[in-house]
Every structure is written in structure tokens, then in C-alpha cells.
Amino acid sequence: MAKLISRRDFLRGTAAGAVTLTAGAVIGGLTGCSSNTPEATTAAATEAATTAAATEAAKAGLYIPGTYTAVEKGLESDITVTMTFDENSITDVKIDASGETEGIGTATPEPLSKAILEAQSAEVDAVSGATVTSNAVKKAAANCIAQAKGEAVTMAADAGNAAGASQDDWLGAEPEISDADVYNEVEADVIVVGLGVAGVAAARGAAEAGATVIGIDGAAAPCCRSGEYAVINSPKLNARWPERALSREEVDEIIDSHVNESSYRVKRSITKKWADNIGEAFDWWTDADDHLFIADETRQPIEDENADDFMIPIFRPLPSYKDASGNEHVYNWKEERFPCYPTSVEFLPSQAATFTANWDKALATGKVEAYFGHFGKKLIMEDGRCVGVYALNDDPQSSDKGKYLKLTAKKGVILSTGDYGSNDAAMKHFAPDVMKTHQNNRLFTSFDVNGVPTNQGEGLRMGAWAGAKVMGYNAPMIHHMGGGADLSGVGVMGNAGFLNLDMDGKRFMCEDLPGQQLENQIEQTRLMQSWQFFDANWPEQVTHMPAAHGGACYFEDYASIDEAPKNNKTYRNWKSPYQLEAAVQDGRCLKADTLEELVAKVYPDDTAAQEQALQSIKRYNELAAAGYDEDFHKVPSRLMPVDTAPFYADQFTTAIMLVCIGGLESDEDCHTFTEVTDEQGRQVCGEIIKGLYVAGNMQGGRFGMEYPIGLKGVSHSMAMYYGKVAGENAAAEI
């Protein structure tokens, strides 16, 4: 049955698994990514079982005295845990997480070591801001406990691969499930597999259309992260922010840009239907949250009573600067090579409150129930129609763990299980180039009941086994947010277009790029690293920068955070002197009184790179003086010299991949299609599969090749909108 979660419990964090925003506090604020919905793996289940067994053994006592070591993969490196035991207790815990990012991984050893010692168990709470590293520590600690008990440790080698799949086979064999494997059978009009943003919207949409709904999810409760949404022509918001009302021609231009940025590997009909209808759908979504406070400016002070649940317009007012003649220039997306549209909002501190309000709204219909700790494993097909799904009960607290729940759908099944970014085999199949550079540089912040990232690609497998066509040309979400990130994941100057030099001291790109394109350029440099250079004139220079996701484009003259707006104290596009000074003090940014001193810090022991850097800066300053960038064609208003002390530099490395978006081939009504072979031997779309719908990152045709970020939060927005569409259409299925 459904576990009811009130908004109060959700916000207090007492509803376990209600939302995952731990490591998300580090990276989650960087983008409006798609909904996260759970799937587990056989390897994960094995690890969870080992963890549980070792923990119980530890409580029972009697170890083999000695010191034991285990290693698990963390966020960026291997984590080594060494534990010492006497006959009845854990006496010492040492954790080596030195390869993890400073402030994230290296913050975890001391509190986790203490927690394991106090609990005498591997089952301890994760450290906020370091969920991935914490989980690696917990698994390694469980391994050590098992060794100390003399038990066989059978940790699976391929934790990122699903049942029936190997390291090189993303699909594997479809599981065979008999009646003897089923512990219970349930029935509803609509079955929703995965309760993230798309799944919750689908459940509510279907229920309000009159259908009975059963949702399943591998986590302990519905999952969400971050909080950005792209919104076009919301009646409610346009009344508050009239300048955001867009004409038909402007909306069509936005649609065309989205399709173009996806290299025309997406369906315009899907983007158009979203753009034409998201405004009213967003009002439907936010109307569920009667406590939501809507600010009129990005940096508006927020009263305490609203601090746990408010929404801001992003880039309101728009950035502006004055030229040498004193004329004011306001950011105009129509003049930009890479426009960022003034369409987006952000829920703060996250979207958790509004997300839960929508789940509550669905439950309040009396037509929705849910089974958590249940993982969709196999679609039930009859005469080419999807009529249900088998879900594996992997809840460690359930007496039916390891058995299947058979769910029959009288009208339709909606797959909203998210992407496959944490599954190595799927990543190697669909995005092999990404795996060459980001195999150990991926982050996901929602976890199932076994502590495993939920984006394992089970929905793709179920769909493929049922004969659905899988989309090609998948889109990794890897947009750069700048160098020298703090604990919230925000870079020193973000991805603002200051001078950028590679590890040989050479300029290698036009710096006036959005984060995704910036990442692509950095990946082509030697060592995939570079340095951003700027000088004492940065307060005026940032105001020339574009209103782009993750870039500095506003200056605030605050000496400390205490001067910032109440309960809305920082935002990634606003920069103050105290923030830069903190970055210098923390070592996240280098500072020097001369360029010679600065390049010596940037390129220590490399005199050739130092000399080249000085030559590159000189050349850049000459181009700025001339007012034309004949080397890389940078916009003149952002071609600003680096010539006034003190001088600064922060390092850019490759960004973290959040999700990899593909899905099943779909249309604007969330239908799926069979895969058939035509007369030329090509694998093409066939007929619509009756009864099978997709939403969120399971819906193909939304993003292709790379993730476009001109519409900040477009993935969340499309997930919510098409979840609603899928729910309503499934409810209307005959």
C-alpha cells in the first residue's frame, strides 16, 4: 500500500528516501535535470544482502581478531577502508578518500569513521554533500565486517549492470517469471513504473482523469532533485512578469533553436506540443502547493515563513551593463549566438515541497496507491498489447523480498524509470565516447532501498524486450559550471567568458560559450584541463557576460554573506568580493600582483607554458584593444583585457555527467513504437504499441546528441508535462 508522506514530514526529512538532495547539494543545483526513478541490479542486491548479513553478524559478536581492508569506487577514485577488530567489536576504522574532490570526498572520513565505530555497523547515515563517497565507504566497511566474520564476500564485479546483463551486454536476457515467483497480484487502470517528476505527474494526471492508478518505485518514496523548470507563457506567471509573455513567432524561434541544438535528432512535434502547453500545465503543477511563495525577482529577500518553499524567476531583472558612452545595454537573447531564453524559474531550497504536494494531490483522489522497494523487471504483453508488469520486491524489510508483484493494467502502463547513466554496460553501448572520459566522473543523487543509484536503464530493457524501438543518438548532460567550485558546486566565476588557456598556456577557443559547448572544447585539450584568467576589473566585466546557466553576469558589492538578501543569500550568477576572497583563501582560485607571478603559480616547473601563457595574454590584450577577435571571433563587448592587478586564475577540469538521455522512440502523445526491419534491412519504427506509454527520460525524441541549456530546466519541465500527458492518455485508452 502507499506510504503517505505529508509535506511537513517531507521538508523535515523524516520520510526516508522522500527526496535525495545530499550529493545533489553539491551538483544538483547546477541544472534542471529529468526526474529520477528507481531501478536496482542483481549486483546491487548482492551487495545489499552482504551488507545486511555482515551488519547482523557484527551485532551478534565474535569476530576473527585482526585488520581487514576493502576497496570500493567512490565519486572520482577508489575508496579504501581498513578496519581492526577484536573478538567482540570494531576497534578502529581508517578511511582513505584522498582521491575524492576536496570538500566533498575528503570531508567524509572523520564523521563516517566515528559513525561506524559508534554504531559497530556498516549501516550509518551518509554524510551530507558526499552521498556517493559515503555509499562506497559503507559497502567497503560491510566487506571488512564480512571478512572479520570469516564469511565469503561475493561483491559483484559489475555493480552498474542489471540482471541478465554482462559488462558488455546492456540488454541481457529477459527474465523468466512463473506463477510460483509471484507473491501477489494487483490490478488498476494505469500502472506507473517509476515515481520521479514524470511518474508523479502521470499518476496525478491519470487519477484526475478518472483512472485508478498503481505506482511502483525502487526507492523508499517518490524521488526528485534540483528545481529548475523552463516555463513558456504561464497565465499565472505572465500576469506577474508581463515581459515574459512571448509571441507565436518567438515561441517558434525557441522551438527551432532547441531542435537545432539537438542536431535535428529530436522530433519538433514533441518540442512544439510542450512549448505550446507547458504554461497551463505548470500552473496545474504549482497550484497543488498552496504554501509556495513566488518571488518577483531572483534575489528578492524571503521571509522566514516562506524560506522552506519558494520559487524565483531566473534572470529577473535581466543583466545589463553600460558602455563607454554611458548607454545601458540589457541582455537580449535575440542578439546572442547561443541564446538563453528568459523563460525559467527555480524552486528553492529545492522542488521537494511542490513535488510532494503533487504526490499528495494524487493520493487525495483516492485512486492512487504505491508499492515502494519494487523494481519493474518485465512487461506483460498479450497480442502485441502491454497489459501489465512484473515488479521485483527488493525491500529489505519485506517478508516477500525476492518475489514478484504482478500488476495488471486495464488501460495502460507508463514507463518513467529515468535514464541509464549509472549502468556501465548501457553507457558503453549508447555513449562509448562519454565513457572514455567520464567513466569515473558521473554523479546521480537518487538511491533505491539498497543504496544503489536508481538510473540503471531497466525501462529501456523492459521496452526492448517487449519489442519497442530504442532511440539512437543519446544526449549526455555534461554542462560545465566553471572552475574552483565550492561545496554547492558553483565555480569561482562560473563559466563566464573570461580568457581561458590550456595546459600549455595557449588560447584554444572562443570563451563566450554555454556550459555544454565549453565542456566539449575542454575535452579536446591536452589533459582535458585549462585555466580561466581575469583581473581586478572583474566587477564591471561580469556585467557584460550573457545570462547563461552557471556564468557570472551580475555584481553585488557585499563584504560578507550577511549583507545578502534574507533566506536567498547566494545565487550562481551573482558574484561579490567576499566570495572571490573566500575562493582565494580556500585555494580554489590563485591570486598574484603580477602576471609573471600568476603564471608561475598556474604552470609550476613548466617555463615553456609560463612563457606561452604570457604571450597568449599579450595577444589577447592586443585583440581587446583592437576591438576584434580575429583568432576566435569572440563578441567584442566580452573581449576584455587582463591588464590590471591583482590577477586571478582558477582551473577548469572536465564536468560531471548527471544523466544520459535517450529513451524509447516516442511521439507527442507519449506512445511507443515497435522496432521492425524494412526491405533494406534497416531497423525502423513500426506500429504504435498499444497500452505502453513513456515519460521523462524514458521518452525518446526530446534530446539528441547533447543537452541544450538555452532553456534552463527544460528536462524537468518536459518530464512533468509529458508525465501529465502520458497519464491522461493512458487513462483514456480503450
Side-chain angles (χ1 to χ4, degrees), residues 19 65 72 152-153 165 182 213 265 318 400 463 470 472 483 520 525 605 729:
V19 63
E72 287 288 341
V153 180
V182 175
V213 180
R265 294 292 183 181
L318 289 167
D400 293 309
V470 179
N520 297 344
T525 67
D605 305 318
N729 286 349

Side-chain angles (χ1 to χ4, degrees), residues 455-477:
N455 58 337
Q456 300 293 339
E458 286 289 2
L460 280 182
R461 275 181 289 277
M462 287 190 287
W465 288 328
K469 190 175 189 305
V470 179
M471 178 186 174
Y473 303 101
N474 293 190
M477 185 185 290

Side-chain angles (χ1 to χ4, degrees), residues 71-229:
V71 179
E72 287 288 341
K73 187 171 75 173
L75 177 60
E76 298 174 300
S77 65
D78 285 341
I79 309 297
T80 302
V81 175
T82 303
M83 298 173 64
T84 302
F85 299 77
D86 62 21
E87 292 183 349
N88 296 296
S89 65
I90 303 169
T91 61
D92 188 39
V93 179
K94 290 185 171 61
I95 301 170
D96 181 2
S98 57
E100 298 291 86
T101 301
E102 185 175 355
I104 303 174
T106 56
T108 62
E110 183 176 348
L112 280 176
S113 298
K114 181 179 179 181
I116 292 170
L117 273 174
E118 290 179 350
Q120 290 290 298
S121 167
E123 284 302 302
V124 295
D125 291 336
V127 174
S128 179
T131 302
V132 176
T133 303
S134 296
N135 283 341
V137 169
K138 289 161 65 176
K139 290 176 185 178
N143 189 320
C144 290
I145 292 171
Q147 292 179 58
K149 288 297 298 177
E151 298 172 352
V153 180
T154 56
M155 298 293 188
D158 296 317
N161 295 316
S166 70
Q167 185 175 3
D168 299 316
D169 178 13
W170 76 275
L171 185 57
E174 185 176 27
E176 295 183 6
I177 301 171
S178 68
D179 290 343
D181 300 319
V182 175
Y183 79 89
N184 192 21
E185 296 186 25
V186 293
E187 182 181 72
D189 293 327
V190 176
I191 307 299
V192 180
V193 187
L195 293 171
V197 170
V200 167
R204 182 185 165 197
E208 291 180 351
T212 57
V213 180
I214 296 176
I216 61 172
D217 201 298
C223 295
C224 70
R225 60 164 296 281
S226 182
E228 292 183 355
Y229 280 71

Side-chain angles (χ1 to χ4, degrees), residues 516-587:
Q516 189 83 34
Q517 288 82 353
L518 173 61
E519 170 68 19
N520 297 344
Q521 291 289 284
I522 291 174
E523 288 183 13
Q524 297 179 67
T525 67
R526 188 175 71 82
L527 302 180
M528 297 186 186
Q529 298 177 25
S530 67
W531 286 84
Q532 180 186 67
F533 289 80
F534 55 99
D535 68 11
N537 293 318
W538 70 267
E540 192 276 331
Q541 292 174 354
V542 295
T543 64
H544 293 249
M545 300 299 178
H549 185 43
C553 53
Y554 298 88
F555 172 69
E556 294 176 322
D557 193 11
Y558 296 154
S560 75
I561 195 171
D562 294 334
E563 299 179 16
K566 182 180 181 181
N567 293 318
N568 192 11
K569 293 183 177 298
T570 62
Y571 199 73
R572 62 186 68 91
N573 304 103
W574 272 256
K575 300 297 177 183
S576 288
Y578 80 88
Q579 292 170 307
L580 178 58
E581 185 58 32
V584 172
Q585 293 300 316
D586 293 344

Side-chain angles (χ1 to χ4, degrees), residues 30-33 228-233 244 246 250-262 270-272 274-276 278 314-315 331 333 338-345 477 479 514 517 547-549 702-703 707-718:
L30 306 189
T31 180
C33 298
E228 292 183 355
Y229 280 71
V231 186
I232 296 175
N233 288 340
R244 290 201 170 186
L246 299 175
E250 289 172 327
V251 174
D252 282 337
E253 185 174 341
I254 289 173
I255 295 168
D256 290 341
S257 176
H258 179 91
V259 175
N260 179 63
E261 199 168 347
S262 295
I270 291 179
T271 306
K272 176 175 170 54
W274 164 80
D276 289 348
I278 182 56
I314 298 176
F315 300 131
Y331 177 81
W333 60 268
F338 298 94
C340 186
Y341 304 102
T343 60
S344 302
V345 301
M477 185 185 290
H479 47 73
Q517 288 82 353
H549 185 43
R702 300 176 309 134
F703 305 104
Y707 180 69
I709 53 177
L711 288 160
K712 291 159 59 66
V714 65
S715 183
H716 268 145
S717 186
M718 282 192 175

Side-chain angles (χ1 to χ4, degrees), residues 328-339:
E328 186 173 20
H329 298 262
V330 178
Y331 177 81
N332 185 350
W333 60 268
K334 296 181 181 181
E335 298 174 352
E336 294 289 328
R337 296 172 181 167
F338 298 94

